[in-house]
C-alpha cells in the first residue's frame, strides 16, 4: 500500500491515511495487531521513525501530520490546543442535513466516563434522493456535509452526526446498519464516509502559511460520479 505524501520538510511529514488503518498499534487494538499501522507503512515506504501530532480514527481517512523528531511534536500540538489550525472534514450522512448547524453536545472523553464540552460546525454541500428503498421507507436520502470540529474529542464528529439524526454512512458504531448495508449492496462501498480533507495553519518554525489537502479515495469518487456531486476539494 503506497501512501500519498502530501507535504514534507525537515520538521514534519503530512500523509493521506487510508480507511481502516491504525495510526499506531496500542493495547486496545490487539484484534488488528496483524495489520500494518500507518507508522509501519510509512517506515517501509520512506524509512525512519515518525511521531503523530494529532489523532485520526482507524475508520477515518485523510490528512494527518507526523513529526520527524519528538522535540518538534509539542510546537505543532500547540496549534491544535490553541485553535490555531483550521480542520475541515467531509462526510456523507443519512437524510437531508440542515443547511448549517452548530452541534455542541458534550462527548465522552477517552476514559469513557466523563462527558466533555465539544463543538462541531456543519454545512451541507449536496443532497440527493435515491429510488432505493431502505426500511421503513420506499426511497432514501443522503447529504454531503462539511464538518469543522472546534474541539478534538474522541469520535466527536461521528457522535455529533448521530446526535442530530444524520449518522455517517459506513459508521459501524454510531451509524444506521440498514443504510450501511444498502451502500455495500448497491455501490460496493464498505468504508466509513468521513474524510479529513484539509488543514490550514501557520508553520511554527518556518512561519509560512499552509493549506494542505488530502484527495478522496475510490469509494468517494465512485459516489461523486453516481450522485453527480462535485468534489468539494477541487
Amino acid at each position: 500500500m503506497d501512501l500519498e505524501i502530501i507535504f514534507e520538510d525537515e520538521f514534519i511529514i503530512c500523509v493521506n491515511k487510508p480507511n481502516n488503518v491504525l495510526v499506531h498499534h496500542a493495547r486496545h487494538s490487539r484484534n488488528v495487531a496483524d495489520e500494518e499501522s500507518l507508522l509501519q507503512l510509512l517506515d517501509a515506504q520512506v524509512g525512519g521513525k515518525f511521531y503523530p501530532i494529532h489523532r485520526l480514527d482507524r475508520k477515518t481517512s485523510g490528512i494527518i501530520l507526523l513529526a520527524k523528531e519528538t522535540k518538534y511534536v509539542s510546537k505543532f500540538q500547540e496549534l491544535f490546543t490553541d485553535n490555531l489550525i483550521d480542520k475541515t472534514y467531509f462526510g456523507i450522512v443519512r437524510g437531508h442535513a440542515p443547511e448549517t448547524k452548530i452541534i455542541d453536545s458534550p462527548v465522552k472523553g477517552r476514559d469513557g466516563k466523563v462527558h466533555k464540552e465539544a463543538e462541531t460546525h456543519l454545512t451541507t454541500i449536496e443532497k440527493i434522493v435515491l429510488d432505493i428503498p431502505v426500511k421503513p421507507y420506499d426511497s432514501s436520502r443522503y447529504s454531503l456535509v462539511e464538518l469543522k470540529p472546534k474541539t478534538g474529542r474522541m469520535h466527536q464528529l461521528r457522535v455529533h452526526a448521530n446526535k442530530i439524526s444524520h449518522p455517517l454512512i459506513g459508521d459501524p458504531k454510531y451509524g444506521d446498519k440498514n443504510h450501511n448495508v444498502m451502500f455495500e449492496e448497491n455501490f460496493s462501498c464498505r468504508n466509513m464516509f468521513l474524510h479529513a480533507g484539509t488543514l490550514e495553519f501557520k508553520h511554527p518554525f518556518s512561519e509560512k502559511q499552509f493549506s494542505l489537502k488530502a484527495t478522496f479515495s475510490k469509494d468517494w469518487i465512485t459516489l461523486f460520479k453516481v450522485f453527480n456531486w462535485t468534489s468539494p476539494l477541487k
Side-chain angles (χ1 to χ4, degrees):
M1 182 188 299
D2 282 337
L3 299 170
E4 177 193 357
I5 310 275
I6 298 166
F7 173 77
E8 183 178 4
D9 66 9
E10 61 189 292
F11 303 100
I12 55 170
I13 189 167
C14 178
V15 302
N16 191 353
K17 187 186 85 65
N19 290 99
N20 302 313
V21 172
L22 282 164
V23 174
H24 56 76
H25 290 302
R27 284 177 295 177
H28 66 269
S29 59
R30 287 190 298 270
N31 59 324
V32 289
D34 292 336
E35 298 176 16
E36 285 190 294
S37 69
L38 183 75
L39 294 182
Q40 289 171 321
L41 292 169
L42 201 50
D43 182 32
Q45 186 170 326
V46 301
K49 286 196 73 173
F50 300 93
Y51 307 90
I53 292 164
H54 56 116
R55 295 190 298 269
L56 210 56
D57 289 348
R58 177 179 177 236
K59 295 286 182 182
T60 305
S61 61
I63 198 163
I64 186 166
L65 293 178
L66 305 106
K68 291 187 172 181
E69 302 274 356
T70 53
K71 62 185 178 182
Y72 301 143
V73 172
S74 61
K75 270 289 187 186
F76 283 95
Q77 283 182 338
E78 285 175 11
L79 298 175
F80 291 87
T81 55
D82 297 340
N83 286 320
L84 296 175
I85 192 160
D86 190 22
K87 299 167 285 182
T88 303
Y89 290 72
F90 298 98
I92 297 177
V93 301
R94 182 192 71 188
H96 282 177
E99 295 302 316
T100 60
K101 189 171 183 65
I102 295 174
I103 312 160
D104 57 5
S105 306
V107 173
K108 285 182 181 180
R110 296 191 75 79
D111 58 8
K113 297 176 182 178
V114 180
H115 282 76
K116 298 184 178 182
E117 289 185 3
E119 184 177 314
T120 302
H121 292 204
L122 177 149
T123 303
T124 297
I125 303 170
E126 301 269 14
K127 296 178 181 179
I128 195 168
V129 179
L130 300 178
D131 292 324
I132 301 174
V134 179
K135 291 182 181 180
Y137 302 106
D138 294 330
S139 61
S140 44
R141 297 181 173 193
Y142 303 99
S143 302
L144 172 64
V145 296
E146 176 189 275
L147 299 162
K148 287 182 173 286
K150 301 302 177 181
T151 50
R153 308 303 180 200
M154 186 172 129
H155 293 177
Q156 176 179 319
L157 300 180
R158 299 165 66 181
V159 171
H160 274 177
N162 184 48
K163 192 74 176 179
I164 62 168
S165 299
H166 295 290
L168 288 155
I169 299 302
D171 190 331
K173 185 170 184 178
Y174 307 100
D176 184 317
K177 184 180 178 182
N178 290 331
H179 288 266
N180 294 349
V181 169
M182 188 281 277
F183 270 74
E184 285 188 33
E185 292 178 346
N186 289 272
F187 307 113
S188 298
C189 294
R190 296 173 180 82
N191 291 319
M192 184 173 75
F193 281 93
L194 180 61
H195 181 71
T198 69
L199 285 179
E200 296 181 26
F201 60 95
K202 181 189 278 188
H203 197 296
F205 294 97
S206 71
E207 297 193 344
K208 290 181 180 178
Q209 193 70 33
F210 282 91
S211 180
L212 304 176
K213 298 179 181 180
T215 57
F216 287 106
S217 63
K218 182 181 176 182
D219 280 359
W220 283 87
I221 294 167
T222 295
L223 291 189
F224 288 153
K225 289 179 181 177
V226 173
F227 294 174
N228 197 27
W229 286 352
T230 301
S231 168
L233 285 177
K234 284 187 176 178

